[in-house]
Amino acid sequence: MIRGRSSLVLSVLLPCVACGDDTTATTESVSTTDTSPGTTDDASTGAPTTEAPTTGEPTTSAVSDSETGTTTTTGETTTTTTGETTTTTTGETTTTTGETTTTTTGETAADTSTSSTTGGECEDGPDGDGDGVPDACDVCLEGDDTVDGDGDGLADACDPCPSDASNDSDMDGVCDGEDLCLEGPDDVDVDMDGTPDACDDEVDLGIDTPIDDYDVAADGALVIVRGDAGALKVTCWNGDGTVRRPEFTAGTYNAGQALGAKPEIHIAREAQKVLVTWFDDGGNPVNNRIAYSLLSNECQPIVTGETAIALPEAYFEFHNAAIDAAGNSVITVSPNQTLITFVDADGLAGAQQEAFDIDATYGDHVAVNQATGEGIVAAQIHSGNGIYYRRFKAAGAGWIDPGPVQLPVNYHYWYDGYTVGMNDQSEFVFLWRSDGTTLDMRFFAADGMAVEDVQRTTIDFEGWNGGHCYDSFRRRHQEIPLRGDDFVLGEVYNWITPQQNRVVHHFAYSPAGELLGEGETDVNLDEGLTIRVDGLGRSFLRGPSGIVVRADYP
């Protein structure tokens, strides 16, 4: 069992002049010694004449050629050439060109090139582990290269998990054969239930501060916001559950305003920039505005407390916002007319615009195609058959629909009885509650054509005491989340329905309106579609006691 993280280092054997038979090769060797009498032609007769033998030193000529060098010795002069190095020795004088110097004394010439026929380091070098393989060419210096009990190609002496061919597949420092959770680290167990979080079907994140809103990125990075006596408090986590930045103030508002700040928070699924929006009257209704701050992917401020939308004395109890994958965002509010502002990824807001005017009081919702930045804004008239929408181009470049488009419905509740979602193909869906026990969905193609209507039966939305019909999507940040291009929807109940009687269902549908899966939970809030989905298939559910993460839900 590994007690800590281990790094496995493999020696890579490269071709070298010290390794293998190829490094010792002599292709030709010629040696000639002449000690017989010399023979010349007689100048007068043309017959050969024999001279006496020479008693001096013999004359020796040697030639050696190989891939590594050439050595030539004549008398007392030796020339050795290896690659780019030439050594010439005459008597006791040595001249060297290139990068190697060889010194020869007297009449002996020494060739120190690697063209020796006695073998290299891979044949007769030191062998520290005694496995018969010299250290210079030894794959495992800790023991016998040939002993590999689990057959994974790593010698046991150098294998961190000699009994596991798969070793430590999740890199948590525990061999697979002893690993509690092969999906992630064994020692990360936030809710301390004995099951590592990566293998836990439900993890209570244990957030002990109030939460007004929350959001997750593709890798599960989590951000939350709460209003606290005039300060917007934000906390950011990384996808692995570690804290990216502890709670800090991301903006301020008038602590005495009657409506509260009603903050929202959104994180770009890829860029992980963070948008915080809230209502602020500045201590005077004449200054009513929707403010925003944009944070970097490290949760550091890019811009703070800027104005997105301002309208003197307007009723700004609720607003809505959305952000695309790159960090461009859109902010809307409906005090009567539906207003919209686009904010780029650097935090610069464009001009405030009117999307349409249907006399909608705070019942607005917005969703974006996170891949392109285009999207849809919608609002509703108080109860009945009055939901309208308009699709926009990315970055406020114009409108796809020339004006508001009415969504015909059988009925919708109060001021805020519906919501909307859009995927990366610009397909979109509306979800609304048409009566106390019915939820309706309508799915649309990217060209705006309706493709499917779906109805689901629910428990009694109005409560067992009956007669109450209040908003079912009033809580902010209600756009329908995605799993890939599919939509994740859910039941939403007002505060009249007793919490203890609610078992909320969530359900995934394809853009064509096909049911893909469903599940149930008692983790829910009044008037809220409180579910966020990351790119790993996990759902982050918010209830009265915090946030719970469920794997592959619904």
Side-chain angles (χ1 to χ4, degrees):
M1 178 176 180
I2 303 176
R3 297 303 177 186
R5 292 191 180 273
S6 299
S7 296
L8 179 63
V9 178
L10 297 178
S11 300
V12 179
L13 183 59
L14 299 177
C16 63
V17 297
C19 302
D21 293 335
D22 291 344
T23 62
T24 305
T26 302
T27 61
E28 181 181 11
S29 180
V30 179
S31 179
T32 303
T33 303
D34 187 359
T35 58
S36 63
T39 303
T40 63
D41 290 337
D42 180 48
S44 59
T45 65
T49 301
T50 300
E51 297 178 348
T54 303
T55 59
E57 294 290 330
T59 300
T60 301
S61 176
V63 178
S64 176
D65 294 315
S66 72
E67 294 177 358
T68 58
T70 302
T71 301
T72 304
T73 304
T74 304
E76 297 178 0
T77 301
T78 299
T79 301
T80 301
T81 302
T82 303
E84 298 177 0
T85 303
T86 301
T87 303
T88 303
T89 305
T90 303
E92 298 181 359
T93 303
T94 299
T95 303
T96 301
T97 60
E99 300 176 355
T100 304
T101 301
T102 302
T103 302
T104 304
T105 304
E107 298 174 4
T108 302
D111 180 2
T112 59
S113 75
T114 58
S115 59
S116 168
T117 60
T118 61
E121 294 180 13
C122 283
E123 294 181 357
D124 54 14
D127 178 12
D129 58 8
D131 64 351
V133 182
D135 293 350
C137 299
D138 201 342
V139 174
C140 175
L141 293 173
E142 304 302 321
D144 193 337
D145 287 3
T146 65
V147 179
D148 179 12
D150 58 8
D152 63 354
L154 299 175
D156 285 356
C158 292
D159 191 341
C161 299
S163 299
D164 287 300
S166 53
N167 296 307
D168 177 16
S169 60
D170 61 0
M171 299 297 291
D172 67 348
V174 183
C175 295
D176 283 4
E178 301 179 12
D179 204 337
L180 293 176
C181 174
L182 294 177
E183 305 302 320
D186 284 4
D187 58 356
V188 178
D189 182 11
V190 172
D191 54 8
M192 295 183 292
D193 63 354
T195 303
D197 289 351
C199 291
D200 199 341
D201 289 338
E202 184 166 304
V203 179
D204 187 339
L205 297 184
I207 300 172
D208 57 3
T209 60
I211 302 170
D212 279 330
D213 193 26
Y214 72 115
D215 200 16
V216 294
D219 68 351
L222 170 70
V223 291
I224 67 170
V225 65
R226 66 186 183 97
D228 181 30
L232 276 302
K233 300 289 188 179
V234 170
T235 307
C236 305
W237 286 266
N238 298 308
D240 62 2
T242 58
V243 175
R244 180 173 297 180
R245 188 178 179 191
E247 189 173 73
F248 62 97
T249 297
T252 60
Y253 62 96
N254 172 27
Q257 61 193 34
L259 297 178
K262 299 293 192 297
E264 287 189 17
I265 194 166
H266 299 260
I267 183 169
R269 73 181 183 199
E270 303 297 340
Q272 298 200 2
K273 291 184 177 181
V274 178
L275 177 73
V276 185
T277 58
W278 66 95
F279 167 63
D280 178 30
D281 69 9
N284 187 333
V286 175
N287 300 320
N288 282 359
R289 66 175 186 147
I290 303 298
Y292 72 93
S293 292
L294 185 67
L295 311 175
S296 73
N297 61 353
E298 296 298 326
C299 276
Q300 298 295 328
I302 296 175
V303 299
T304 301
E306 296 294 322
T307 297
I309 298 174
L311 193 64
E313 300 184 9
Y315 188 76
F316 275 5
E317 181 176 354
F318 295 103
H319 70 281
N320 208 198
I323 195 167
D324 70 16
N328 303 291
S329 54
V330 57
I331 303 168
T332 73
V333 69
S334 290
N336 287 111
Q337 67 271 54
T338 299
L339 305 174
I340 188 169
T341 297
F342 297 89
V343 179
D344 68 20
D346 294 322
L348 180 63
Q352 174 179 313
Q353 305 177 50
E354 181 181 292
F356 48 80
D357 186 356
I358 61 166
D359 192 22
T361 305
Y362 71 71
D364 64 297
H365 293 279
V366 63
V368 298
N369 175 327
Q370 295 183 51
T372 68
E374 66 184 35
I376 184 170
V377 58
Q380 74 168 76
I381 299 172
H382 187 306
S383 300
N385 183 20
I387 300 175
Y388 291 80
Y389 70 87
R390 193 178 185 188
R391 290 170 295 159
F392 52 81
K393 298 177 182 178
W399 296 93
I400 296 172
D401 299 309
V405 179
Q406 185 174 7
L407 175 72
V409 299
N410 41 6
Y411 189 82
H412 62 73
Y413 266 61
W414 211 240
Y415 288 101
D416 209 341
Y418 79 101
T419 190
V420 63
M422 177 175 279
N423 67 16
D424 284 7
Q425 310 306 318
S426 291
E427 298 161 320
F428 58 99
V429 61
F430 279 88
L431 171 68
W432 70 95
R433 182 173 282 284
S434 57
D435 67 39
T437 57
T438 305
L439 274 176
D440 288 77
M441 292 164 272
R442 183 168 299 148
F443 297 84
F444 292 82
D447 62 3
M449 296 296 294
V451 295
E452 189 66 33
D453 279 274
V454 177
Q455 264 194 352
R456 292 182 62 99
T457 300
T458 75
I459 63 172
D460 187 2
F461 168 77
E462 296 180 345
W464 284 266
N465 295 324
H468 301 281
C469 49
Y470 291 98
D471 305 322
S472 52
F473 294 90
R474 181 187 296 213
R475 193 176 295 277
R476 293 297 82 197
H477 191 164
Q478 296 293 290
E479 70 267 22
I480 297 164
L482 303 171
R483 178 169 287 132
D485 283 331
D486 302 320
F487 299 103
V488 179
L489 308 100
E491 298 171 350
V492 179
Y493 296 94
N494 64 21
W495 57 272
I496 298 297
T497 310
Q499 178 78 36
Q500 65 270 20
N501 293 330
R502 296 183 209 158
V503 178
V504 169
H505 291 81
H506 293 93
F507 23 89
Y509 279 84
S510 74
E514 177 188 7
L515 178 64
L516 302 176
E518 60 183 304
E520 63 180 43
T521 179
D522 59 1
V523 181
N524 60 80
L525 285 177
D526 300 338
E527 301 172 343
L529 184 62
T530 50
I531 181 170
R532 313 281 185 262
V533 182
D534 69 12
L536 305 176
R538 300 177 299 180
S539 291
F540 291 65
L541 303 164
R542 183 181 160 207
S545 301
I547 296 173
V548 169
V549 182
R550 292 187 63 178
D552 298 320
Y553 175 86

